[in-house]
Amino acid sequence: MKDIECLRGKLIVSCQALPHEPLYSSFIMGRMAQAAQEGGAAGIRANTPEDIREIRSRVGLPIIGIIKQCYEGSDVYITPTMSEVDRLMEVRPEIIAVDATNNPRPSGITLENFVTQIREKYPGQLLMADCSTVEEAIHADEIGFDFIGTTLVGYTRQSKGDDLSKDDFAILRKILKSVRHRVIAEGKIDTPQKARRVIEMGAFSVVVGSVITRPQFITRTFVEEIERENNL
């Protein structure tokens, strides 16, 4: 296992592509992670054991591992059940991230019970809470997550309309003041200046994804800006 302290004050690059996206391929994600490492990234966030295995063959960086899996009747989709945790433990990412929102989980299990199950089966495994509100972050901190993430701010029903970077990262500021575990800033951090700012505020590290690793998203920002200018 890699030393997690090497992530302090550093950039983690999220290298993910979903089945409907043009770069969907473990081979491509491995090369994407290699490019991120060559650019100075200190860690990688990756989806699925297959991608993690390929990324491990290309880079020697700590990995935050997840599996995105949808279940009927639940909006929780980031490592939602023990089945996904078991699959991730086959490749042993340094950190496993799970949805830590207050949304109903598959099978009705509480987040606290889920964390207890993971701790009992895999003692010592580092866990990251992907949260969408300050209240969720505080709860995740209380039940013992090793890292508190702002990953889902603005993406859940209870956080719709919220923007992590709004008002100079006011949500992040509140979380940093309210929790004792390390905070990883993530979500719509789309400029180097914003990434630097969250570290200055006290975040342990910062995850950046789409603006680095999703060319269709990057292209769209250029196109929309050009079209906006043309419509003035």
Side-chain angles (χ1 to χ4, degrees), residues 45-186:
R45 178 167 166 129
N47 176 34
T48 77
E50 295 77 16
D51 282 9
I52 293 170
R53 193 174 287 111
E54 177 63 25
I55 288 168
R56 276 260 169 79
S57 76
R58 307 301 303 185
V59 306
L61 302 177
I63 295 174
I64 300 173
I66 66 170
I67 294 178
K68 291 181 176 177
Q69 181 67 53
C70 295
Y71 286 86
E72 187 174 355
S74 175
D75 291 330
V76 171
Y77 65 93
I78 298 177
T79 321
T81 74
M82 187 59 73
S83 175
E84 288 76 41
V85 173
D86 289 339
R87 287 177 58 201
L88 285 170
M89 288 304 294
E90 295 174 6
V91 291
R92 292 195 160 282
E94 281 70 23
I95 302 169
I96 289 178
V98 308
D99 183 309
T101 66
N102 60 20
N103 293 322
R105 309 188 67 81
S107 303
I109 188 173
T110 66
L111 179 62
E112 188 168 5
N113 287 340
F114 183 44
V115 171
T116 298
Q117 288 181 5
I118 299 173
R119 296 294 192 200
E120 289 177 350
K121 192 169 185 178
Y122 301 111
Q125 174 61 46
L126 297 174
L127 300 177
M128 174 177 171
D130 286 347
C131 304
S132 70
T133 68
V134 175
E135 293 72 23
E136 290 167 354
I138 292 172
H139 180 59
D141 185 62
E142 291 172 345
I143 62 178
F145 276 90
D146 302 287
F147 299 91
I148 310 299
T150 57
T151 317
L152 294 172
V153 173
Y155 292 100
T156 62
R157 170 189 47 77
Q158 59 272 28
S159 68
K160 277 296 183 194
D162 287 343
D163 182 342
L164 179 64
S165 62
K166 186 178 179 181
D167 299 326
D168 192 25
F169 296 94
I171 291 175
L172 176 62
R173 191 185 307 279
K174 290 178 182 177
I175 291 173
L176 286 165
K177 289 181 178 179
S178 303
V179 305
R180 60 188 178 88
H181 290 94
R182 291 166 287 191
V183 175
I184 296 178
E186 180 176 3

